[in-house]
Amino acid sequence: MSYTALYRVWRPARWEDVVNQKPVVRILQNALVENKVSHAYLFSGPRGTGKTTVARLLAKAVNCPRRQDAEPCNECDTCTAIAQGTSVDVIEIDAASNRGIDEIRSLRESVRYLPVMGKYKVYIIDEVHMLTPEAFNALLKTLEEPPEHVIFILATTAAHKIPVTIASRCQRLEFRRLSIGDIEGQLEKILALSGIQWEQGGLRLIARAALGSMRDALSILDLCLTYGEGKVLEQDVRDVLGETAAEVMVRLFGALSREDLKGVMDVTREVSERGKDMGEFCQELGTFARDLLFLGDGGSGTDLGRTEDEIAEMLQLSAGLPRDLLIKVLETTSNAIAQMRNTDNQRLVVDMALLGLFGSAS
């Protein structure tokens, strides 16, 4: 039997399973209970935050014959077909690969036909901002006067690219980027239900690396479980992510504060020899400097998404680093990332940027 990715296995089937999108969920639940479901929605927000998942939940809820208030039963033929992606009444369209006027004209023809199993035909158009201007114009007429049996759900990561004429005919719901705590909590729940052993530091690293995307977090978790033979250990996660360890950063900032040329170049050499992308290294360096500034000004370590050991080391380090040096590191790493686009010798750019900081700590 073929393997099913975790993000598909653990896709929410009930409203309460949707991770930290409470305003969106509450609006849709109330609309279902009060029979005020709109004919068109625009779901906007970062990738991996649940837009398509919520669209499918809404499609199930409006078509489920045994729905209780806003909750689909998840057992009837209609719910099962929608969950498996085989329902003829729920049509998912990827606008990135079906962006032309011909595809939208075909959609306009199909909306005239009544649903087969449920009460509504639901069209979910993902990455809708990729449609051509001509396709948007063709879609506009259908959105203005849709048949009563049709619901449109437009999903996008770039709402600013949606024509005003389209957006104004939809109820727009904003999906928020998930916090590190949100993602970490969901990973804990999944691993506990699966009976899998984990280390908290490993989950925290995965949650940080996901950058607010639950789908990305589950994809990383998949890799880590394969690498760790069914366990999620902190060191294994570091190996999989190729992330620069906090100890390396502590050593680098110590060398910068002492103006230790050899110490700085030893770190960049080691990072480069491990195959680390120097652009990513600069981003991590800037993030580390920002977090040191935050801690130095009395910020709470729990807000940074780092392990307790990392926070302890960073607190000790921040006490001995000048504020001006940390600000200069932020500026320098940002400039270095821009310069890397025009050179093949990325390590040289990093070395020049870091050595240019000497004197900033005085």
Side-chain angles (χ1 to χ4, degrees), residues 71-239:
E71 202 71 51
C73 72
N74 288 309
E75 295 177 354
C76 66
D77 291 342
T78 299
C79 287
T80 302
I82 294 173
Q84 294 176 348
T86 58
S87 172
V88 294
D89 293 334
V90 179
I91 301 94
E92 295 190 33
I93 301 169
D94 176 18
S97 54
N98 299 280
R99 59 194 305 263
I101 191 171
D102 291 339
E103 288 83 3
I104 300 303
R105 282 174 175 166
S106 176
L107 180 153
R108 289 177 57 183
E109 289 296 317
S110 68
V111 299
R112 296 184 301 173
Y113 300 105
L114 293 171
V116 176
M117 297 178 65
K119 184 178 179 182
Y120 293 96
K121 292 183 75 171
V122 181
Y123 289 84
I124 302 171
I125 307 180
D126 199 16
E127 299 299 341
V128 69
H129 63 273
M130 297 292 287
L131 292 179
T132 64
E134 294 78 13
F136 272 125
N137 289 336
L139 179 62
L140 179 61
K141 183 63 176 176
T142 306
L143 284 180
E144 283 180 327
E145 300 175 3
E148 291 185 359
H149 60 268
V150 170
I151 295 174
F152 284 99
I153 304 175
L154 315 181
T156 179
T157 55
H160 61 283
K161 295 183 180 179
I162 307 296
V164 175
T165 50
I166 296 290
S168 65
R169 287 164 173 80
C170 304
Q171 285 192 11
R172 179 172 174 178
L173 300 180
E174 294 278 359
F175 285 67
R176 65 184 68 183
R177 189 182 302 275
L178 301 179
S179 70
I180 291 171
D182 293 333
I183 295 175
E184 191 176 355
Q186 184 69 0
L187 294 181
E188 287 181 6
K189 177 181 176 182
I190 289 170
L191 293 176
L193 290 172
S194 303
I196 294 172
Q197 179 182 342
W198 77 88
E199 289 181 351
Q200 204 64 41
L203 293 194
R204 181 60 60 92
L205 290 171
I206 293 173
R208 278 175 51 205
L211 299 176
S213 168
M214 194 68 234
R215 183 173 63 240
D216 287 0
L218 290 173
S219 295
I220 296 170
L221 179 61
D222 245 338
L223 289 174
C224 294
L225 285 171
T226 302
Y227 182 86
E229 299 178 348
K231 298 179 181 179
V232 184
L233 306 180
E234 182 174 342
Q235 187 56 52
D236 289 347
V237 175
R238 288 187 183 278
D239 291 343

